[in-house]
Amino acid sequence: MTTVLTPRGDAETASPRAGNRPLRPARRRRTTAIAWGFCLPFIILFAAFGLGPVLASLGMSVTDITSRDLRDPFNVNFIGLGNYIELFSDPRFVRSALNTLYFVAVGIPLTMVIALAVALALDKGIRHLRSFFRVGYFAPVVTSVVAVAVVWEYLYREDGLINSVLGWMGVAGPDWLNDEVWAMPALIVMAAWRNFGIPMVIFLAGLQGIPRELYDAANVDGAGAAASFRHITLPLLRPTTLVIAILLSVGFLQFFEEPYVMTNGGPLDSTLSIGFYAYNQFGFGNYGLASAASYVLVAAIVAVSVLQFRLFRRKG
Amino acid sequence: MISRRATWAVASGLALSLALTGCGRSDDTTDAEQAGARIDDTPATGTIEVWAMGTEGELLPELAKKFEEENPDATVKVTAVPWSDYAKKVETAVAAGKTPDMTMVGASDLPTFAAGGGLDPVPDGLVDTSRFYEGAAASTTVDGADYAVPWYVETRVLFYRSDLAEAAGLSAPTNWTEYEAFLAALQEQGADYGIAIPTGAPNTWQTALSFVWQAGGSVLNEDGMEFTLDTPEAAEGLAFYQDLIVSGIAAPNGPDGLGDIEPLFVDGSLGAFISGPWEMGLLEQAGGEEFLNDKVAVVPLPSGPSSNSSYIGGGHWSVFKDAQNRDGAWKFIRWMSEESTQQDWFDISGDLPAVESAWSKGSLATDEHLAVFQEQLKTAQAAPPLTTWNQIGAMMDGQLERVAKDVSTPEDALAQMQQEATEIGTGEK
């Protein structure tokens, strides 16, 4: 990158320092130009469809743009952080932020525990029909959320399958999706079921990367299954866990599809998420406010990812 | 490296927004927009590009054929657009300046589209608005100018199981006092619930507002500038709505989508519900023709202290400012609002004519179910023509859910609605 910009003299004095046999500057420039040429299609596409909208929405989030300005998008006023202040003084937005936090804080650990348990079972426990189970556990990931929602809505009905099973055990189940307290847990369980497939595959790869000799050695030293799991499996899965935690938190923070198809944010806003709030505001034509809400979400995703990098960073 | 890149992104974002400040909002005038040139009486020419939604989009080509016969130099090209994402499609088209010539618009969405500045005001003298139902004509006026011509209308009436009512020895209720007793009687005849009304699902306001109107309340004052939601009349209306649910006559979690209630109504677990003309077809599908003829009764909504107002919705036609064939589009619209065309369209689609005089012929004049809708249309009211109505309606749905779940009293919910609606504003600048 710097080579393109540095004057000829600098490049010549800099190259001998590289130790290897230096390329002649002209040739080096040509190589760089060709390299940029190969990257160009991606850069153009990324700038037009990736970076452009991102910057445009950042710009929109500090203006009072609404659907009234459709034909004249530059005819708007700069209002600084006004949208952000409005967001945090709206109790519904605060509620949606807390709901999202609830979903993330419970949903991610739950999904990871299920994924790890299933991965362990597939790695060690299940001897027969292994690929059948792998496909079975991965299937929810590739199923359309709309189709899944229809089935789960039946399961969660007041007279649905889940409550029938609970009834056999003498428990009277709630009307899950219409209950202010139970709607969110119901969505979390469904999200965990729908999302554990990919972490499971990554965990499985991580597990198969752990050398068997370590377990043999531990076995010789008299360690039981629980001790080997705690002192060998878990520490060696640390990098895998980091990847999964970040992938899941990016996905879970954008919590939208489940309430959109199952509860519409209700009952009484108990499943309204930040993503859903932003979607609604776009629908009302409040583009500035909606963009600001989306950026709050982006900030949250960045913050959570940084936090996880800190937490899971390899010690030593 | 990451942080440097992030800084760079934020910096250029801010630079962009600073650039935007250079071009502030110009003074918005509150005067009504002036309509464009008048439309002459010569036959239409050229291609007319039309967007139409749902069933209307599928059936419109049949009607358009007749227009093409009368205007041999004109071609109508219909694109069917699903209702679910048409609003975004229209807004995107307006923003990009690449619109068709005309589009169908849902009555309550019109103000938002008009405010976007993409619609051509109806030319002077195109149609005589007094020929339409008052509620339909009222919903085409935004900020003092007309932006659409009504095409078809729909309104909500009471459907009930006539066999259950007969068994209880009751005839249709005509006022609120009879209403509750009637519904409770249907319940005694074996229905789980007397009636199903929405309890917070999107567009709950359509049903809840009719109770407010029936009690004499209104959303806006006379000149349409101020909200009047926190009145004793409105509270009386919502109290009746809440009482139906709290007393167990109405289901605590009402229907939230098309197709939810018909099976319950057919199997007898639901005694009555409030819905529109499309329900005839759905009930026939769910229960068969015999069921529809023998066990379903349709009557106007029972009157409250003030009236028996219901909600009026429907489809309008609008022309885009960026239309290539503005004259052709307006001529097509004028033709569609003619009495005979409205009757033809009813024969094709079953949509109820927005032109009052079109009801004088054929099954429109003789069908007893249709007569009920005709009766109801006379007093039906439309959503207030506010550019912010989508947002206010959604806000009201949230508050109504609190009323339905007995978390809020009608008075508290109305005070909250009044405050939030005032904050959102009427869209006037």
Side-chain angles (χ1 to χ4, degrees):
Chain A
M1 191 165 164
T2 42
T3 334
V4 184
L5 301 173
T6 25
R8 204 177 179 179
D10 281 38
E12 266 172 339
T13 51
S15 47
R17 253 190 273 148
N20 288 336
R21 197 179 181 154
L23 287 171
R24 273 188 291 133
R27 202 171 150 196
R28 197 168 160 175
R29 265 204 301 276
R30 231 187 83 212
T31 322
T32 317
I34 291 171
W36 275 101
F38 277 118
C39 294
L40 206 60
F42 167 76
I43 291 171
I44 291 173
L45 283 178
F46 176 69
F49 298 105
L51 202 58
V54 167
L55 290 179
S57 62
L58 185 63
M60 274 159 73
S61 79
V62 290
T63 66
D64 59 355
I65 188 166
T66 68
S67 55
R68 292 199 142 208
D69 305 304
L70 273 179
R71 281 164 69 87
D72 254 335
F74 287 98
N75 183 20
V76 294
N77 287 335
F78 176 74
I79 54 165
L81 295 178
N83 283 328
Y84 293 90
I85 294 167
E86 194 182 333
L87 275 182
F88 283 99
S89 52
D90 181 355
R92 290 192 79 212
F93 179 77
V94 175
R95 180 79 202 260
S96 75
L98 292 175
N99 286 341
T100 310
L101 195 69
Y102 176 15
F103 182 75
V104 167
V106 180
I108 293 182
L110 181 68
T111 312
M112 285 174 83
V113 168
I114 296 176
L116 182 58
V118 175
L120 281 170
L122 286 175
D123 190 45
K124 303 231 171 65
I126 299 168
R127 302 236 173 269
H128 305 289
L129 294 172
R130 201 179 272 186
S131 29
F132 169 77
F133 280 107
R134 268 187 223 182
V135 171
Y137 287 126
F138 197 74
V141 179
V142 291
T143 322
S144 148
V145 63
V146 180
V148 165
V150 173
V151 176
W152 279 79
E153 248 173 75
Y154 272 98
L155 292 180
Y156 278 138
R157 278 193 179 187
E158 203 166 7
D159 51 359
L161 186 64
I162 292 179
N163 280 352
S164 306
V165 173
L166 285 176
W168 297 338
M169 295 184 275
V171 183
D175 184 0
W176 297 90
L177 295 176
N178 286 312
D179 189 294
E180 222 189 321
V181 176
W182 288 106
M184 185 61 111
L187 292 194
I188 290 176
V189 168
M190 178 182 144
W193 172 82
R194 206 163 78 81
N195 288 303
F196 83 83
I198 287 174
M200 175 196 79
V201 170
I202 303 175
F203 269 133
L204 203 52
L207 285 174
Q208 285 164 356
I210 299 175
R212 300 282 137 180
E213 298 83 47
L214 293 175
Y215 291 108
D216 293 340
N219 210 0
V220 169
D221 290 341
S228 326
F229 176 72
R230 224 189 117 213
H231 297 288
I232 301 174
T233 313
L234 278 188
L236 287 177
L237 279 181
R238 188 184 278 269
T240 318
T241 315
L242 173 64
V243 171
I244 292 171
I246 289 180
L247 278 180
L248 282 181
S249 55
V250 171
F252 273 54
L253 275 166
Q254 294 181 22
F255 180 39
F256 171 76
E257 289 165 332
E258 286 84 1
Y260 180 70
V261 293
M262 307 264 295
T263 62
N264 216 340
L268 298 172
D269 290 342
S270 59
T271 56
L272 185 76
S273 67
I274 299 185
F276 204 169
Y277 181 94
Y279 172 84
N280 281 341
Q281 292 298 337
F282 265 112
F284 301 150
N286 297 329
Y287 302 148
L289 199 64
S291 304
S294 312
Y295 268 90
V296 171
L297 199 56
V298 170
I301 291 175
V302 171
V304 168
S305 304
V306 168
L307 188 75
Q308 281 164 340
F309 267 108
R310 291 265 151 99
L311 279 178
F312 288 99
R313 184 178 284 163
R314 208 183 280 267
K315 278 171 198 155
Chain B
M1 191 62 186
I2 287 168
S3 65
R4 195 186 302 166
R5 241 179 243 167
T7 321
W8 182 81
V10 171
S12 35
L14 288 179
L16 181 71
S17 47
L18 285 175
L20 289 175
T21 60
C23 28
R25 204 179 281 285
S26 59
D27 285 341
D28 277 312
T29 49
T30 45
D31 294 342
E33 194 174 354
Q34 289 303 308
R38 296 173 80 98
I39 305 297
D40 58 41
D41 287 332
T42 57
T45 55
T47 306
I48 304 166
E49 300 240 9
V50 183
W51 280 0
M53 275 56 90
T55 332
E56 283 74 23
E58 286 161 34
L59 297 174
L60 185 62
E62 207 176 314
L63 184 74
K65 238 181 268 158
K66 295 185 183 172
F67 180 74
E68 288 170 344
E69 278 162 22
E70 290 174 31
N71 301 269
D73 294 335
T75 319
V76 179
K77 214 182 120 200
V78 179
T79 308
V81 179
W83 272 117
S84 54
D85 58 26
Y86 93 105
K88 285 198 181 71
K89 247 191 109 139
V90 169
E91 282 170 4
T92 315
V94 168
K98 286 194 167 50
T99 61
D101 296 311
M102 56 189 269
T103 183
M104 214 173 105
V105 177
S108 62
D109 296 320
L110 182 76
T112 319
F113 293 159
L119 300 184
D120 191 34
V122 180
D124 291 332
L126 186 81
V127 288
D128 174 9
T129 45
S130 65
R131 291 167 53 233
F132 301 105
Y133 279 103
E134 209 182 312
S139 64
T140 60
T141 311
V142 182
D143 295 350
D146 287 348
Y147 287 94
V149 174
W151 185 34
Y152 70 85
V153 290
E154 54 94 350
T155 189
R156 317 292 159 85
V157 296
L158 184 69
F159 291 72
Y160 68 87
R161 285 286 298 257
S162 53
D163 53 334
L164 296 185
E166 243 165 67
L170 287 171
S171 56
T174 54
N175 59 47
W176 277 9
T177 330
E178 292 170 14
Y179 204 176
E180 256 191 279
F182 176 81
L183 297 174
L186 295 183
Q187 228 169 342
E188 274 163 30
Q189 293 301 319
D192 292 343
Y193 291 107
I195 192 169
I197 44 179
T199 54
N203 297 328
T204 295
W205 60 264
Q206 292 177 353
T207 305
L209 268 189
S210 62
F211 288 111
V212 170
W213 289 326
Q214 286 161 20
S218 64
V219 177
L220 292 169
N221 66 355
E222 288 286 318
D223 64 8
M225 300 300 285
E226 270 170 49
F227 291 95
T228 52
L229 283 161
D230 56 350
T231 57
E233 289 82 13
E236 193 182 351
L238 280 199
F240 186 76
Y241 165 79
Q242 186 182 42
D243 196 47
L244 282 178
I245 300 161
V246 176
S247 65
I249 289 175
N253 300 297
D256 51 18
L258 214 58
D260 275 6
I261 41 177
E262 292 77 14
L264 300 176
F265 189 65
V266 170
D267 74 17
S269 50
L270 180 64
F273 62 95
I274 297 170
S275 191
W278 57 84
E279 211 62 60
M280 296 293 181
L282 292 179
L283 286 178
E284 193 173 340
Q285 232 172 49
E289 204 186 327
E290 208 171 301
F291 172 79
L292 184 65
N293 290 335
D294 298 347
K295 297 188 172 170
V296 181
V298 185
V299 292
L301 294 181
S303 295
S306 167
S307 72
N308 77 334
S309 260
S310 183
Y311 168 79
I312 182 173
H316 299 336
W317 284 113
S318 288
V319 172
F320 288 102
K321 277 212 179 90
D322 293 321
Q324 303 280 316
N325 190 356
R326 172 180 176 270
D327 286 18
W330 282 124
K331 283 172 186 171
F332 185 38
I333 291 173
R334 181 171 58 192
W335 178 79
M336 280 194 288
S337 76
E338 282 170 16
E339 205 178 293
S340 59
T341 324
Q342 290 257 307
Q343 285 162 347
D344 287 345
W345 178 244
F346 170 77
D347 292 338
I348 294 172
S349 69
D351 282 344
L352 305 180
V355 173
E356 229 172 322
S357 59
W359 290 71
S360 60
K361 251 182 33 191
S363 58
L364 279 165
T366 53
D367 187 297
E368 56 178 316
H369 286 165
L370 289 172
V372 172
F373 285 101
Q374 189 181 11
E375 173 72 26
Q376 188 76 65
L377 278 167
K378 285 178 188 154
T379 55
Q381 300 190 46
L386 304 176
T387 58
T388 48
W389 183 253
N390 281 348
Q391 189 172 356
I392 292 174
M395 177 275 290
M396 286 176 65
D397 289 342
Q399 289 297 328
L400 289 166
E401 189 185 9
R402 298 176 63 83
V403 174
K405 295 219 186 300
D406 205 12
V407 182
S408 260
T409 63
E411 287 80 9
D412 289 349
L414 285 165
Q416 188 69 23
M417 284 184 211
Q418 172 76 13
Q419 188 201 331
E420 286 191 43
T422 310
E423 271 166 30
I424 296 167
T426 56
E428 304 270 347
K429 294 209 170 144

